[in-house]
Amino acid sequence: MAIREIRVFGDPVLRTVCEPIETIDEGVRAMVADLCETVAFDGRAGLASTQIGYTQRAFSLHIDGEVSYILNPEIVALEGEPVPTGEGCLSVPDLWFDVLRYPRATVRGIDLDGRELVISGEGLLAQALQHECDHLDGKLYLSRLDREARGEAMRQIRTSSWF
């Protein structure tokens, strides 16, 4: 259990479609502990397994001061009309762009005991659920930008100090 380094744009693991977790073993428990420890900082709303180098389907959340996690999350409902929502990503530091996100989202998965979990919410929680599920499908939020915004994002990345 440790605070892990965040993988950044260009790392191939960020493009990996994560495998479902079939067996909850000590390795999965350690990954969840790493996810929860690494997300528990101010300004971090969510963290997908790929962002710390794992390729199993899991993410952690840090919303309203509470840290949680979910294994094998799948979006089961998106409600409302998508609206432009300011978004950033730990794996693409210092960038902030509007992304179309649904105002309400529901995700279903399991916990470390194999019990079903359903997480549903609005606002930042809905945004984080969508953003983290995208990560687990091998997508960065940049792929949701329109052509002009994506071009600007790529210009900023090329001139950034972290790339």
Side-chain angles (χ1 to χ4, degrees):
M1 294 35 83
I3 296 168
R4 299 289 179 186
E5 182 178 338
I6 305 292
R7 305 291 182 95
V8 295
F9 180 86
D11 189 318
V13 74
L14 296 172
R15 296 286 184 199
T16 301
V17 176
C18 291
E19 294 293 322
I21 296 167
E22 302 292 334
T23 304
I24 298 170
D25 57 17
E26 288 311 307
V28 170
R29 291 179 190 286
M31 174 185 64
V32 169
D34 290 349
L35 281 166
C36 290
E37 285 186 44
T38 306
V39 80
F41 289 88
D42 287 343
R44 294 183 177 181
L47 184 70
S49 59
T50 54
Q51 291 179 278
I52 58 172
Y54 292 97
T55 59
Q56 294 167 296
R57 198 165 181 85
F59 65 73
S60 58
L61 297 169
H62 184 205
I63 306 288
D64 296 330
E66 290 193 36
V67 173
S68 60
Y69 72 91
I70 188 166
L71 308 178
N72 294 337
E74 297 291 340
I75 293 176
V76 294
L78 296 170
E79 299 173 50
E81 292 298 316
V83 294
T85 306
E87 195 161 307
C89 180
L90 296 170
S91 292
V92 192
D94 304 325
L95 271 69
W96 192 262
F97 288 92
D98 278 345
V99 178
L100 288 177
R101 294 290 187 193
Y102 288 87
R104 184 161 178 77
T106 301
V107 168
R108 181 179 295 131
I110 60 173
D111 67 12
L112 285 170
D113 295 318
R115 293 184 299 239
E116 182 179 77
L117 280 178
V118 176
I119 303 173
S120 190
E122 299 177 343
L124 179 60
L125 178 56
Q127 180 183 5
L129 293 172
Q130 294 167 77
H131 181 103
E132 302 313 327
C133 281
D134 276 353
H135 272 299
L136 300 179
D137 292 333
K139 299 176 187 171
L140 292 171
Y141 86 104
L142 302 176
S143 68
R144 293 196 176 272
L145 300 177
D146 63 36
R147 184 178 178 177
E148 183 179 325
R150 192 169 27 252
E152 176 57 27
M154 296 311 295
R155 279 187 287 284
Q156 288 183 32
I157 288 168
R158 282 192 298 274
T159 61
S160 69
S161 61
W162 55 265
F163 186 66

